[in-house]
Amino acid sequence: MAGFEGVVVSDPSLHNQFTQVELRSLKSQFMSVRTSSGGGDGGPLTVRDLSVAMSKLKIAGDGLSEDERAALLGESFPDLDHQVDFELFLRVYLKMQGRVGAKNSSSAFLKAATTTLLHTISESEKSSYVSHINSYLGEDPFLKKCLPIDPMTDDLFEISKDGVLLCKLINIAAPGTIDERAINTKRVLNPWEKNENHTLCLHSAKAIGCTLVNIGTQDLAEGRPHLVLGLISQIIKIQLLADVNLKKTPQLVELIGDSKDVEELMSLSPEKILLRWMNFQLKKGGFRRLIANFSSDVKDGEAYACLLNVLAPEHSRKPYPSTVKDLLERAKLVLEHADRMGCKRYLTPKDIVEGSPNLNLAFVAHIFQKRNGLSSQLKQITFLEANSDDPQVSREERAFRLWINSLGVPTYINNVFEDLRTGWVLLEALDKVAPGIVCWKSANKPPIKMPFKKVENCNQVVKIGKQLKFSLVNIAGNDIVQGNKKLILAFLWQLMRYNILQLLKNLRFHSHEKEIKDIDILNWANDRVKNSGRHSRMDSFKDRSLSSGIFFLDLLRAVEPRVVNWSLVTKGEKDEEKKMNASYIISVARKLGCSVFLLPEDILEVNQKMMLTLTASIMYWYLKRPITEDRTVSSDGENGSSSETTSTSALDDTASESSLDDSGGRSF
C-alpha cells in the first residue's frame, strides 16, 4: 500500500506549503523543466538553467522578466551550477511566487495562501465547528465511540482521516445526498477503503454546492487542518443557510414591497438575503445604520442587541447591552440573550468584537433558523406558488448550477435563471469549455446598468453556440436576458453535453480525430456490461427499464468489480426498491470518483439528459484511470469484496481539467 503516500517531500516545513494536488502538478512541471533544459537527456539540471526553462514554460513569476528571474536566483543561490532536485525546484517556485505576489501568479490553480505562507487555522472556528459536530452527530451509531470531540485538541483532524465523519456531516447539511450504505464503516479501514470515503466525500460536497480548489483525497487522509476545516466550514454553512430562500421560507416575501421584486430577491445569495432580513428586523427596532457585512458592521454588538430585542423581547434583561460601554461586556450580554432564546453559540464575545465573518454569519443564520420574526402573508405566498417551477425544471436548474460552479468559473452562481441574464457567466463557462473562443474585448463585465450591454453579451453567447453547432433555432440573446427558462435550460444542456463529448474525445480518441456521439457512449456502456458477463442492457437513454437501476449497477461493477455491494441491491421492481437502487448508484459513482449532479428522481423518471451525463461520467472515469501491467483484480461478484493493485494516481485526485473529475476546497 505504499502507493497511497502520494508525492512526498522530505522537509516537513516545505511539504506543508502545498496540497497533494499542487505537488502532483508541480512535479509534472518539474519534469517538463528538466526535459526542456536538457536534463531529461541525462544532463543535470542546474540553478542557472531554471531561469530560462521556467520562463519558457511560464512556471511561476508571471510578470518577472528573464533578467529578474536570473537576479532572484543569483540572490538566493550563490552557486548557480548547483544541481536542482525537486525540493530545490519547490523552493525556487515559492521565492518567485513571493516576489510577484498572488495577483500576478501565472499558475491559476495555486493560491498565495497555499504557497507562500504556512497555513494557520482559527481556534475559535475550530471550537465552534467541533461543538456543531458534537451536537448533530453525537448520537450517530458509528461515530459516538469517538464523540464528543475535545475542541482543545486536534482530535477533529485525526477523526476525519477515515472520511466517515465528513460524509456523515454532508448528510446532516443536505439529507439524502449520500447513501450511507456506500460509506465504508468497518472498525479498521484499509487505505483503499479510506480513499473511497474521501472520494465520496469530495464529490458529494461538490454536489451540494461546496467550492473545491486544491484539495485531494490524500490531503484528507493526512488530516491537513486548514483544508479539513475549510471543507467543514462550507458544509456547515450550507446547512445553516438551507432555509434562507423563498422556497423553504416563503415568508421572506415580507422583505419586499410587491411581486415585482420577487425575482430580485430570488437572485440573491443566501448571505445577502440574510443581511436583508437582518436589516428588515433592525428597522423595526429603530436601528438607523445599515448592516452591509458580518464583520466590521457588527463588531460593536449594537446591531445584535437590537435584533435580539426585536425577535425575543421577552428574554431581554437589564442592563441592556446598548447601555454598556465596554464592548466585550456588551457582546457577553448579547450572547446571554441569545442563549435564553435557545440559540447555540457559534461565537464568543471576543469573536464578535474581532468581527469574525464566518462565525458571525453562522450565528445570524442560526438565529434565523430559530426565530425569523416573519409573518405569513398568504396573498404573496400564493403568488409564489403560482409561479414556482415544476420539479423537473428545478432539478435541471440545480444540476446545471452545480455543474457551472464546478467548472471553476470566477463568478459563483446561486440561481441559473437570474444569474445568467447578463450573459457574463455564460461567457466564462464557454471559455472554460472551449478556451479562447470568447472575444473578451467585445464583452461587458458586470455590474451592467444598460440593458443593451446585457443583450450584447448574450448575443455573443448565442453566436458562439452556433459556432459549436448547438441547435439554437428561434433563440436570441434577448431570450437569455429575459430569463426564458426553457431556452436557457436548452442552451445549458447542449453546453454540458459538448463539454462531456470533448473530454471523452480528448482522452482516448484524439489520435484518430474521431467525433464522439451519444451512440458511442451507449454502445460503450452496453459492451462493458456484456463483457463483464451480465445480461442487462439499455436500448436508449430513455429506456424505461433504466428506472430499476440494475443496468447502472451492472455498469459500475463492470468498470470496478469491487465497488458494488450486491447484498445492498434490490430487485428494482417496486417504487421503493427502485429509489433505494437509484440512491445507491449515485453514491457508488461518486465513490469511484465520478462527478455527477443528478438526483435519484432523475433515474426513477429516466431523465434522458441525466442518464447520458451519468453514463458519460462513468465512461470518463474508466477511460481516464491509469492502466498498469500489474493491475490485478479478484472479486467474488456478490458482496463487492476484492483485492486490487493500482497506481497512486488512480487512488488520489489530480488537478482537474474539467468538472467531471475536479476535486478541491474553499472556506466560507
Side-chain angles (χ1 to χ4, degrees):
M1 287 295 181
F4 286 88
E5 293 296 327
V7 179
V8 178
V9 178
S10 61
D11 183 347
S13 64
L14 182 61
H15 183 87
N16 287 336
Q17 294 286 334
F18 304 93
T19 68
Q20 277 294 319
V21 174
E22 295 164 348
L23 284 173
R24 284 191 297 276
S25 185
L26 286 169
K27 184 78 171 183
S28 175
Q29 295 188 35
F30 171 66
M31 299 306 295
S32 297
V33 169
R34 291 189 59 190
T35 302
S36 68
S37 66
D41 298 325
L45 173 66
T46 66
V47 174
R48 193 186 309 276
D49 300 324
L50 281 180
S51 176
V52 176
M54 294 179 79
S55 179
K56 286 181 179 178
L57 295 176
K58 297 183 178 180
I59 299 173
D62 189 21
L64 291 181
S65 67
E66 192 172 315
D67 289 340
E68 288 173 323
R69 290 173 187 265
L72 177 61
L73 291 172
E75 295 170 9
S76 307
F77 306 97
D79 183 6
L80 295 179
D81 293 321
H82 185 78
Q83 189 168 337
V84 177
D85 59 12
F86 181 53
E87 292 195 15
L88 183 56
F89 173 80
L90 292 178
R91 297 183 193 282
V92 171
Y93 179 87
L94 288 176
K95 286 184 178 294
M96 289 188 176
Q97 288 287 85
R99 179 62 62 89
V100 300
K103 290 184 178 180
N104 295 325
S105 171
S106 62
S107 299
F109 63 90
L110 293 174
K111 305 297 181 185
T114 318
T115 57
T116 60
L117 297 172
L118 285 174
H119 297 290
T120 60
I121 63 172
S122 166
E123 289 297 326
S124 290
E125 289 191 26
K126 184 181 76 170
S127 179
S128 292
Y129 302 151
V130 164
S131 176
H132 180 98
I133 291 169
N134 288 339
S135 174
Y136 283 93
L137 291 173
E139 297 302 316
D140 182 88
F142 181 82
L143 294 173
K144 64 181 180 181
K145 65 179 183 294
C146 54
L147 296 181
I149 301 170
D150 184 352
M152 302 306 293
T153 69
D154 286 336
D155 289 352
L156 171 63
F157 310 118
E158 286 298 317
I159 294 170
S160 299
K161 285 184 177 180
D162 64 8
V164 177
L165 183 145
L166 295 173
C167 287
K168 298 264 189 179
L169 191 61
I170 287 172
N171 264 2
I172 294 294
T177 298
I178 296 176
D179 188 324
E180 295 201 2
R181 296 175 297 169
I183 305 174
N184 298 318
T185 55
K186 293 191 308 183
R187 182 178 294 275
V188 179
L189 300 177
N190 62 42
W192 174 273
E193 291 165 330
K194 291 179 182 179
N195 184 79
E196 285 187 329
N197 283 348
H198 294 140
T199 304
L200 175 60
C201 165
L202 289 176
H203 287 276
S204 299
K206 185 165 60 174
I208 66 172
C210 293
T211 301
L212 306 179
V213 179
N214 293 338
I215 179 172
T217 56
Q218 186 66 22
D219 298 310
L220 296 182
E222 292 174 1
R224 285 174 164 268
H226 66 288
L227 294 176
V228 172
L229 202 65
L231 179 57
I232 288 174
S233 69
Q234 286 197 82
I235 296 170
I236 291 176
K237 173 189 174 184
I238 287 171
Q239 177 186 343
L240 292 175
L241 295 178
D243 293 335
V244 188
N245 58 72
L246 279 169
K247 289 185 178 180
K248 292 290 186 67
T249 310
Q251 292 86 357
L252 282 167
V253 295
E254 190 178 349
L255 306 186
I256 56 181
D258 53 50
S259 59
K260 294 180 181 179
D261 297 322
V262 170
E263 289 185 353
E264 178 193 352
L265 190 63
M266 291 181 68
S267 69
L268 296 178
S269 66
E271 295 95 322
K272 290 183 178 179
I273 293 177
L274 199 61
L275 279 171
R276 180 174 287 199
W277 166 80
M278 187 174 179
N279 282 309
F280 176 79
Q281 299 295 354
L282 290 175
K283 187 177 180 181
K284 290 182 182 178
F287 196 74
R288 296 183 179 181
R289 282 193 289 121
L290 191 68
I291 302 301
N293 58 62
F294 293 108
S295 182
S296 59
D297 286 0
V298 295
K299 290 170 68 172
D300 59 13
E302 291 182 355
Y304 283 150
C306 180
L307 176 66
L308 296 179
N309 200 50
V310 169
L311 296 176
E314 71 277 14
H315 293 300
S316 181
R317 297 284 191 277
K318 291 183 179 181
Y320 298 115
S322 56
T323 64
V324 177
K325 293 184 178 181
D326 181 83
L327 295 185
L328 277 173
E329 184 63 26
R330 184 186 299 170
K332 180 181 177 182
L333 292 173
V334 163
L335 294 180
E336 288 175 355
H337 190 167
D339 274 347
R340 288 193 293 272
M341 60 183 283
C343 290
K344 293 185 180 68
R345 293 188 183 186
Y346 279 95
L347 72 178
T348 65
K350 183 180 178 182
D351 296 322
I352 293 179
V353 174
E354 293 181 349
S356 172
N358 290 348
L359 297 182
N360 277 293
L361 172 61
F363 178 61
V364 177
H366 190 65
I367 292 172
F368 180 88
Q369 282 187 340
K370 286 289 184 177
R371 188 178 297 197
N372 60 41
L374 298 172
S375 61
S376 176
Q377 297 194 7
L378 296 178
K379 184 176 181 180
Q380 289 178 306
I381 293 173
T382 302
F383 168 83
L384 282 175
E385 291 174 348
N387 289 274
S388 61
D389 296 324
D390 65 61
Q392 183 168 330
V393 169
S394 295
R395 291 202 303 272
E396 289 191 5
E397 186 278 333
R398 171 191 174 276
F400 292 135
R401 168 168 40 87
L402 294 171
W403 171 70
I404 291 174
N405 286 330
S406 75
L407 289 175
V409 298
T411 307
Y412 189 87
I413 65 171
N414 295 288
N415 182 295
V416 161
F417 304 124
E418 294 302 318
D419 294 349
L420 301 189
R421 290 171 64 174
T422 66
W424 182 261
V425 177
L426 281 172
L427 291 173
E428 290 180 328
L430 283 163
D431 193 54
K432 286 286 185 180
V433 171
I437 201 167
V438 176
C439 178
W440 291 109
K441 291 183 178 179
S442 302
N444 305 294
K445 187 174 182 178
I448 302 174
K449 295 182 179 180
M450 303 300 292
F452 74 89
K453 294 289 185 181
K454 299 178 183 179
V455 175
E456 287 178 355
N457 282 351
C458 293
N459 282 341
Q460 185 179 177
V461 167
V462 173
K463 180 181 178 181
I464 293 172
K466 291 178 179 177
Q467 287 179 238
L468 299 177
K469 299 181 180 179
F470 293 177
S471 176
L472 298 175
V473 179
N474 297 325
I475 297 182
N478 195 51
D479 293 314
I480 299 174
V481 175
Q482 295 299 320
N484 187 309
K485 295 180 180 180
K486 181 179 179 181
L487 298 182
I488 289 174
L489 290 177
F491 183 91
L492 288 176
W493 161 240
Q494 293 182 83
L495 182 59
M496 178 189 271
R497 178 177 173 275
Y498 174 85
N499 180 226
I500 293 170
L501 298 182
Q502 286 298 111
L503 289 171
L504 290 171
K505 177 183 176 182
N506 292 340
L507 279 181
R508 289 288 192 265
F509 304 99
H510 62 279
S511 59
H512 306 292
E513 293 298 322
K514 179 183 177 181
E515 290 294 330
I516 303 300
K517 298 180 179 179
D518 296 3
I519 190 63
D520 296 315
I521 300 172
L522 179 77
N523 290 338
W524 171 85
N526 281 325
D527 289 344
R528 290 306 308 170
V529 171
K530 181 179 179 181
N531 293 340
S532 73
R534 310 293 281 192
H535 302 294
S536 61
R537 62 173 285 110
M538 62 173 167
D539 295 326
S540 69
F541 292 113
K542 54 184 178 181
D543 187 335
R544 298 305 303 174
S545 68
L546 295 177
S547 66
S548 72
I550 299 301
F551 176 81
F552 287 116
L553 289 164
D554 284 343
L555 178 59
L556 288 164
R557 174 190 180 276
V559 300
E560 178 49 76
R562 72 178 300 283
V563 78
V564 177
N565 185 340
W566 289 99
S567 67
L568 302 176
V569 176
T570 72
K571 293 181 180 180
E573 296 174 349
K574 300 178 181 178
D575 288 345
E576 186 59 31
E577 292 178 341
K578 292 179 180 180
K579 188 172 183 178
M580 291 177 68
N581 283 351
S583 175
Y584 188 56
I585 288 166
I586 294 171
S587 289
V588 169
R590 289 175 180 154
K591 190 174 179 178
L592 273 183
C594 304
S595 287
V596 291
F597 302 109
L598 73 166
L599 294 172
E601 290 77 8
D602 293 311
I603 297 177
L604 296 177
E605 298 173 11
V606 191
N607 183 318
Q608 183 178 358
K609 298 173 184 177
M610 296 300 112
M611 297 304 93
L612 172 59
T613 60
L614 174 60
T615 310
S617 184
I618 297 171
M619 181 179 180
Y620 182 78
W621 176 86
Y622 178 78
L623 295 180
K624 195 175 187 296
R625 83 204 194 292
I627 303 296
T628 58
E629 292 182 3
D630 64 340
R631 181 179 176 91
T632 59
V633 177
S634 63
S635 173
D636 61 18
E638 293 302 321
N639 59 18
S641 65
S642 71
S643 61
E644 180 165 344
T645 303
T646 186
S647 66
T648 302
S649 55
L651 301 175
D652 209 348
D653 299 273
T654 58
S656 172
E657 66 205 306
S658 74
S659 63
L660 285 181
D661 72 332
D662 181 37
S663 295
R666 180 185 74 177
S667 63
F668 75 83

